[in-house]
Every structure is written in C-alpha cells, then in structure tokens.
Amino acid sequence: MADTSHNGHKAPDSFEVRILRQGGPGQNSYWERHRVKHEQDMNVISVLQRIAANAQTVDGKSVAPVAWDCNCLEEVCGACTMVVNGRTRQACTALVDRLLEDNSKEIELQPMTKFPVLRDLMVDRSRMFRSLQKVKAWVPVDGYYDMGPGPKQSREQQEVAYPLSECMSCGCCLEACPQYTKVELTQRDDESDADFQKRKNAAYDSSFIGAAAISQAVLFNSHPTGKNTAGERLDALMDEGGIQVCGNAQNCVAVCPKEIPLTTSIAKAGRATTIHAIKKWFDR
Amino acid sequence: MAKKRVMIVGGGLAGLAAAMKLAELGIDVDMMSLTPVKRSHSVCAQGGINACNDQTRQLGDSEWKHLDDTVYGGDFLQHQPPVKEMTDWAPKIIDLMDRLGVTFNRTTEGFIDRRRFGGTLYKRTAFAGATTGQQLLYSLDEQVRRWESEGKVKKYEFWDFLGPVLDENGNCRGCIGQDLVSMEIRAFPADAVVLGTGGCGLIYGRSTMSMVCTGSAASRAFQAGAKYGNGECIQVHPTAIPGADKLRLMSESARGEGGRVWVPRAPQDTRDPKSIPEAERYYFLEERYPEYGNLVPRDIATREIFDICVNEGLSVEQGRQCVYLDLTHIDAQELTRKLGGILAIYEKFQGVDPRFTPMKIFPAVHYSMGGLWADYERTAEGGLQLASPVNQSTNIPNLYAIGECDYQYHGANRLGANSLLSCIFSGLIVAPGIETLFESQKGAAADLDASLFSREVKRHQAEHDALLKRPAGHENPYLIHQELGEVMTKSATVVRRNDQLDAAYATVMELHERAKNCSLSDTGNWTNQNVVFTKALLDMFPLAKAIVKGALQRDECRGAHYKPAFQMPSLKCEDHAGRRREAEQWCDRFDENNKKWLKSTIATWNGNEPDITYEDVDTSLITPRPRLYGLVGAEVIEEVWNERQAKRQAASGDQGNGAKTPVVAGAAS
C-alpha cells in the first residue's frame, strides 16, 4: 500500500537504488541496481538493511549484500557517511521520502571518494584519526588522580567550545574539500604490518590535514589548560600538509552535518599560525 | 620475560577509562573494538552524569543519598558496596572529566550547571548540551589517543572478539579476534582481558542501542563459562522516537528541563495538540505522582505510558502507540541552549520542530542492567578495597567485565544519568586492580606455549569456514533476527506474563535451532558483514534464553521486571483500622517476598540452555524498603513499615558498619 510522505506527495510502492560497488581495494567499481519496497519512515540505513536481507538486483540476480559502515543511527557517531544522490552526508539522516521528492525514480549511493574503499560503501578513514594525533587534539593533563575541578570557564567560552567539540570525525568536510585528495597505499608483499603502518602515517602526515583537525587544534588551543601546548599544535598546522594548503573554497562549512563553524576555525588558526611564525622568527 | 599486557575489548566510556588509567600506571594496553572507538555507543547517551555537588550538598544532599537513590531506584537488587564506592567517587569523576576538557554547560558564574533527573529530588546531573555521552567519550578518546601516540596503547579497530582463551586451569590468558576487513583470525595473548562491550539491545530487534550492541562478546564469555547476572533486568526507556531502523532515544533531560507528558482526554483527539485546552489534557504522570511528576523513575514512567496507550486506549494516534512529550511551554532559545542536540535529532528524523510542536514518543528497550557477573572486595566500612584484583573480575580468573556489560551497579532498574558514571567508574577502578594482579602473576601470557593459542585460532577458523560453506537456500539470518526481536519485545519488556514467557522460551529455543541452519548470502572472505552478523545472531540466543528464563522464574515485581500477577496490592479498606491491619499484612508479605526474591539471578551456560541459581545480595548499608510510588494506602504502609524498622533497629542496636536504616521517603503521599 502506498503511503504519503510528509508534504502530501504520494510515495511510490517501491523505488530503485543505484549503488556503486567495489569488491575490495584495487578492484574495479561497478553500478548495481536494487528495487526496494517503500515503507513508512524509511532512511538509507533501512534501505540497506532491506537489501542485506534480500540481496537481489533488479534483474533477479542474487548478489552478495552491500557492505556499509554504520553504528548509532542518530547522527552522533559519524560512521555511516556516504555520498547520497551526489551529496556527502550520513545515511541515517537521509530520509527516503525527502530523497524521492528530488528524484522519485531512484536513490543513488556511492562511497566517499577521498578515502580508500575497503568494500562497497565502506571506506578507510583512519587518516582522520592520525590527523588528530598530529595536532595533539587533547588536554595535556598531568594525570588522572583526583586534583579537584578544572579551571573555571564562562558560559560564553563553553558556548564557543561546545560546537567544535561536537565534531564526530565523519569526514564530510574532507569529502567536499578540493585540496583534500585521496591517499591510498598498498601493503608490499615483504612489508610487515608495522612497517606498512609507518609508511601510511608518513604519507598521511605529509598530505593535507583538512578542516576537521584544524578545528580541533583551535578547540584545544582555546582551552585554559590546552593553551599550554598551543605552540606544538600550531607547529603541526604549519608543517607539510598544514593550514597553508587550504584554498578557502569554504565547502567544508557548507556540508558539515553538525554546522560546526569550520571556516571560522580555519581563519582563527590562520591568524594564530602567522603570529606564531613571526614570534618564532624573532625568538631565533 | 615478555612484558605483561592487558587486552581491553570495547572502546566505549568504560574501556577507554580503563585504557587511560592503565597506561598511566605504566601498563601496556591493546584495545579491540568493532568500530573506531570514537564511534562507540556511549556517544548516544544524552542527558548527563550524576554526582552530589556543592550546591545539592547545601540542600541536604550527600554521596550517601546518591547511593540511597540508586539502590532504591534499582529496587535493592544490586550489591551496595560497589554502588557506595561509585557514588563516593562521583564528584571526583566530574572534576576529572572537567579537567580533561569536557564542555559541560556552565552557570552564569562559570560553575558546572546541573539539571534534575528521574528518581531523585536533587539537581545532581552535570551535562554538556544534550550530547553528554559523546562529549565524555571524546575526552577519554583524546586521552587514549595521546597514549597511543606514545606507543602505550595499541588499537585494533574493526575487530571482533570471538572468545577468551582459557588455559588447562581455566584461567584466561588472552583472546581470539577477527579482523572485520581482511577476516583474519588471530590470537592476542594477554595477562588480563577486560570486556567493556556494552549492552545487548539488538536481541530485541529494534531498540535505542547502536548496531554493535548485539551482546555477542558478553555471550561468548558466557558460553566460555562466565556467569551472567540478572539477565531479565532490561530497562525500557519511557521516551523514544519510533523508527523503521531503530528506536531513537529522547533523553530524560527533556523532562528534566520541564517537559510534560500528556494525552488528550478524548481518545485520538484529532485537533492540533497546541489547540487542546489544558482542561482537556491528561497529564497522567503529574496526576498520578504529584511529588515526582514527570520525573518518576524510568520503570514507572514506562509502565504508565504503556498503560495509557495499551489499557486505556488513549494513544495519541489511531494505528500507532504514542503519547505527547511537550516542551512548547518553555522558551525556545533556552531549549536550544540546553537540549539543542536531542531536539535536532527529533527534527532531523521526524521533520517537526519540537520547540513548537509536542513530540510523539513511546517506550523502547534501552539498557541492560543485567550482564556478566562481576565480583568486588568489600571494606569494613562498606566500600571497595581499592587496588584489589577482585574488583570487576568475572568468575573466570583474569577476565574482567566493566561498563554496561557487567551487572554490578543498577540492580533491577537504572536511574537516568547513572550509566555514564558507572561506566567511567568501573573503567577507572579496574586498572589498579589489574596492576595488583600483575604483581602476583608468574610469567607473561606471551611466553606461554604457542599451541594454546594456535589451537583456539584453529577452532574458530574451522567454525568460520564451516559457516561460509553452508549450503544455500536455508534460513535467512536477518529474518530470524526479526523474529527473535518480535518475540523478545512482546514477552520480555514492559509487562511480563508467565504464559507468554513460557511460550517465548520455546520459540527462542526453536529459533536458535533454525539459526544454526542459516545460509549466507555472502560466502567471500573479505569484509564479509553477512558472516559477522550471522555469528553475532547465533550468540544472541544464549543471552536471550538467560533473559527469558530469568524473567519466567522471577515470580515478583522488581524494578523493570514487572509481572502484574505477582504485584503487591493496594490497600482496599476505607477505615483507618482496617487499613492498618491490611498494611501489617502487606509488610509481612513484603518481607516474605524479599526473603525469596531479593537475590541475584545467576545464569551459567550448560551448552544448550542457561542453568539458573540465585545469590544473596549485600544490602548491609541500606535496608531494603518498599517502593510505594502510586500505591493506594502508601502512607499507611509507610507508617507501619517505619514502626517496624524502628523496632528492629532498637532490637539489634547499631549495625556496626556505619549503616543507617532510613525511613521510607519519596512515597507518593
């Protein structure tokens, strides 16, 4: 039975989903079509769940279920980022009825293009976590014994910091960034896991760090205790692949699902690194 | 000798807290997680974290009262010493998280702001917007990343825990893991293995839990011989947003900030809710529980919402069960500041702005109070012996359980904003215990004969290969999961009846057999999510059986476990003398019932079914007293019960451990 979407348009009984699939790293990708029965309150996750339960293409061919990454389904974990109808976003908040308003025939799903595909819609975003290491995105406390409360902070400070700390490392800002390009390495036959990791880290560290990590550096540089190691974070941002690579396209802020003021962070980091560079020059 | 290592399975709040503290103690940590740890289910916790604080203290609050609220809310089913230690630590944990940079909301003067949560009369709950779990998790994730960059912590993300490795004496010496990308199965020798693998909501199909919360890791430990406690104690959260893929939490903080629950007095009134006059609205929680109002403990709110929809037919919608949760009387800007995160979730998934239109909500499976049995070492004062290797240990030596996957802290019902606390606390406290354990252990697991590990790898590899080779055309694991979810939701959630539980147990047994016949739609050996899901599904059954059997056998009402056939009655007499007499009988029955049922349900796996035994609960600090929320004649029962307590106290003198016997408080009088 057809039901109606929220604005009264009649929803179809079923719809097609076009998915860009890939068996594994280094393999060719290909499009595959599935037909899914329409249900009330569907999102892209429930579409992929239906496909997993009955993995048949529109031609009736049985195929392996589509691999994808997800966890919380509430848009707070960042796992299910993919490219839905050409737009990078979380699959959980991609509501089917809304998508069908744009194109009532089909929904198109692709993996993010800036990260190596592991399989189908699942990509390797470990580079993002490496970037957080590079900018030392943490408060350098002495330890975890009871030392009383942290420094008192004003409500204004909290209201600036909180939006930045909502970054869930989903990668949307990087997918949309013209300067952020894919880094994909293959393990050599004679290479140990540890050596391969080292080589990957080196490649990540010399490539553009991207808006998410820059904004985290700004977050911790504004924290009363985090400030104490601000110089180290600014050094990281001035390193190869640092803030100077940013081309100011401002796509990042437009696609961030948490509406984090990323370009404000980048501007702040830009000013701070300039001052830091001048200071360092005088201190030589 | 190789250096000793700890393997922590699960990188949510508990696992990360343990990793960070162990690293500080100089112990090397491996950490295995189904998902990058920053994406763990802890991020879903919204409302906050409880601790007695400077302000509540001046209003009469104390750590002891936090303990009292917690055990009273949990209907006294938890051992009290670990809870006492936890509530004693709570203020210190808030301070620590504050130092780590958690963006707690602030008062105008710059102090950490607090809100009120269910089951207490004090504003104990610190919060960071409406994403407190996310913010706490991120701070711990950052600290662990710091240790990772120094080489003290090694993460294995996208790895599945397949089971512990036990030596010939039954001691845990490591575990087996599987890489979810390459499907490689390998052994991780470890001198202690800590499970912080969360709840098991996916056994119910759809719940408020994340997709990794299958309970498979706890189940694998259970099947290897670990005891499982109070499985039947499953919290159903009163307020969730129904959805096709999951039921999304609407935090208790919505009520903490003044949200009101109501239905139109006229069934399925089709008017715009905002146009319905006050007199035609039924604020049923406020009317039935004048003292706590919308902030009654979760089990009670859940039952009342269920009752209003199912028994009284007052659901807001015709074809679907739901009630209004209304915030529209509160200033929109204040709502954005205090609840922005959760309100955005509602708007994103329902397309309606809850600041201006009442939300529609219904209860959903939310938290596993039960879990792996864990031990503790008690001090004479009734707290925990810090640095004891016994704390948080399962019955398998060197295997520990922390966070939601242990059964320690919440008894038969968890208070809101106590889970983040118990997760961080149990993670922090397990670390010094493991340090002590290591001092007493001879040799390191990494130096053991490799055959112990290779044998286990081979066994798991053979199971994996056999699954992949299963012939096509048999059962579909996703459909079996749906059926399991339906039977569990119907029989073992809000209202429990023995005939339904009996039938459900038979169905679960049958589904388990059918699940063993699953065919895979993906027989490849690269990022095969189909085989990983099927394994997790198979491991849901032992826990599902423990939940249903525990519920079936527990013939009483306790916390979230509600069996109307065994409910303590309201008083019926109209005159005072008659009521006194009835109240005396009521109190006798209450004592009798506690003698029989104030016990932890302990399940052990016999290879096909759970065997159930019962263990006494340490209630030496606060004497169990009746929960009288909403009962007719509550004030008379309270009177009788208090008189009896006074007599008992006089007869036994001081209890000698500093314990006080409080009088009944918080009844619905």
Side-chain angles (χ1 to χ4, degrees), chain B residues 531-553:
Chain B
V531 70
V532 173
F533 177 79
T534 305
K535 280 186 206 177
L537 172 70
L538 285 165
D539 290 317
M540 285 182 199
F541 288 99
L543 294 191
K545 290 175 189 179
I547 292 168
V548 176
K549 195 169 179 184
L552 179 60
Q553 294 195 11

Side-chain angles (χ1 to χ4, degrees), chain B residues 24-88:
Chain B
E24 179 181 47
L25 296 173
I27 294 169
D28 289 345
V29 175
D30 292 316
M31 176 164 251
M32 178 187 292
S33 167
L34 288 167
T35 179
V37 295
K38 192 176 177 178
R39 312 200 193 286
S40 299
H41 176 60
S42 305
V43 294
C44 288
Q46 297 171 347
I49 174 166
N50 286 336
C52 168
N53 54 76
D54 290 339
Q55 195 185 339
T56 61
R57 220 182 278 283
Q58 293 171 57
L59 296 168
D61 194 17
S62 63
E63 284 83 351
W64 184 270
K65 281 201 171 159
H66 186 185
L67 158 69
D68 188 84
D69 281 339
T70 304
V71 295
Y72 181 62
D75 229 343
F76 296 94
L77 197 58
Q78 63 272 66
H79 296 298
Q80 293 176 357
V83 182
K84 177 184 186 303
E85 196 67 42
M86 172 179 84
T87 56
D88 281 351

Side-chain angles (χ1 to χ4, degrees), chain A residues 6-109:
Chain A
H6 75 286
N7 62 359
H9 282 293
K10 203 167 156 64
D13 288 330
S14 67
F15 54 92
E16 272 189 23
V17 188
R18 208 162 77 94
I19 303 170
L20 187 63
R21 303 200 58 173
Q22 184 176 334
Q27 298 189 27
N28 290 329
S29 57
Y30 59 95
W31 289 98
E32 191 175 88
R33 285 175 172 279
H34 293 261
R35 180 158 282 283
V36 176
K37 205 174 138 250
H38 183 271
E39 296 166 38
Q40 200 189 343
D41 292 336
M42 275 187 127
N43 57 3
V44 167
I45 298 290
S46 52
V47 168
L48 289 164
Q49 285 175 339
R50 300 302 176 267
I51 292 176
N54 181 24
Q56 271 197 350
T57 65
V58 282
D59 325 316
K61 198 175 94 185
S62 290
V63 291
V66 178
W68 87 97
D69 193 4
C70 71
N71 196 29
C72 77
L73 312 191
E74 294 181 5
E75 208 192 65
V76 281
C77 81
C80 67
T81 314
M82 56 184 74
V83 181
V84 181
N85 283 358
R87 197 184 129 205
T88 174
R89 58 185 301 178
Q90 276 70 54
C92 62
T93 37
L95 306 182
V96 164
D97 288 343
R98 294 283 174 83
L99 297 171
L100 293 177
E101 279 167 25
D102 303 335
N103 178 354
S104 63
K105 292 278 170 343
E106 67 168 27
I107 292 170
E108 184 192 275
L109 307 178

Side-chain angles (χ1 to χ4, degrees), chain B residues 309-325:
Chain B
C309 292
V310 176
N311 300 327
E312 304 209 10
L314 288 175
S315 171
V316 167
E317 282 185 21
Q318 187 75 55
R320 198 167 63 150
Q321 313 281 28
C322 53
V323 300
Y324 288 127
L325 171 53

Side-chain angles (χ1 to χ4, degrees), chain A residues 6 23-25 39-43 45-46 49-50 52-55 63-80 92-93 95 98 118-119 122-123 125 128-130 132-133 137-156 158-159 161-162 165-171 193 197 216 219-220 223 225 257-259, chain B residues 20-21 24-25 35-36 38-41 43-44 46 92 95-96 98-111 113 127-132 134-135 138 141-149 157-158 180-181 184 208-213 242-249 320 337-338 341 345 347-351 428 476 478-479 482 521-522 526-530:
Chain A
H6 75 286
E39 296 166 38
Q40 200 189 343
D41 292 336
M42 275 187 127
N43 57 3
I45 298 290
S46 52
Q49 285 175 339
R50 300 302 176 267
N54 181 24
V63 291
V66 178
W68 87 97
D69 193 4
C70 71
N71 196 29
C72 77
L73 312 191
E74 294 181 5
E75 208 192 65
V76 281
C77 81
C80 67
C92 62
T93 37
L95 306 182
R98 294 283 174 83
L118 294 170
R119 184 175 178 182
M122 199 167 155
V123 295
R125 280 172 284 179
M128 293 194 71
F129 299 116
R130 175 67 192 174
L132 294 178
Q133 275 194 37
W138 51 72
V139 176
V141 292
D142 292 345
Y144 312 121
Y145 291 92
D146 178 26
M147 309 291 284
K152 210 158 143 185
Q153 287 183 57
S154 69
R155 184 177 273 184
E156 288 67 34
Q158 191 271 348
E159 284 172 1
Y162 178 72
S165 72
E166 278 192 293
C167 173
M168 54 188 181
S169 300
C170 70
D193 289 351
Q197 192 59 54
Q216 289 300 297
L219 169 64
F220 288 97
H223 185 273
T225 314
K258 296 286 128 183
E259 296 171 17
Chain B
M20 155 185 118
K21 189 68 196 171
E24 179 181 47
L25 296 173
T35 179
K38 192 176 177 178
R39 312 200 193 286
S40 299
H41 176 60
V43 294
C44 288
Q46 297 171 347
K92 294 183 269 186
D95 283 349
L96 172 61
D98 182 28
R99 282 171 53 223
L100 298 186
V102 173
T103 54
F104 286 119
N105 278 48
R106 300 284 163 169
T107 63
T108 37
E109 197 182 331
F111 291 108
D113 200 1
F127 58 101
T131 61
T132 313
Q134 184 195 46
Q135 296 303 309
Y138 287 1
D141 174 61
E142 287 147 15
Q143 292 302 315
V144 170
R145 184 166 296 107
R146 180 183 175 197
W147 290 107
E148 188 187 14
S149 72
E157 295 176 323
F158 292 117
L180 297 178
V181 175
E184 175 200 0
T208 65
M209 289 193 211
S210 296
M211 293 299 107
V212 294
C213 302
D245 52 339
K246 94 170 276 197
L247 310 171
R248 295 179 175 83
L249 179 66
R320 198 167 63 150
R337 190 163 56 77
K338 289 189 167 164
I345 289 179
E347 194 172 359
K348 272 188 173 154
F349 288 95
Q350 299 297 306
L428 290 177
N476 181 330
Y478 302 99
L479 300 183
Q482 247 176 40
S521 48
D522 186 351
W526 181 264
T527 323
N528 185 337
Q529 296 178 333
N530 190 221

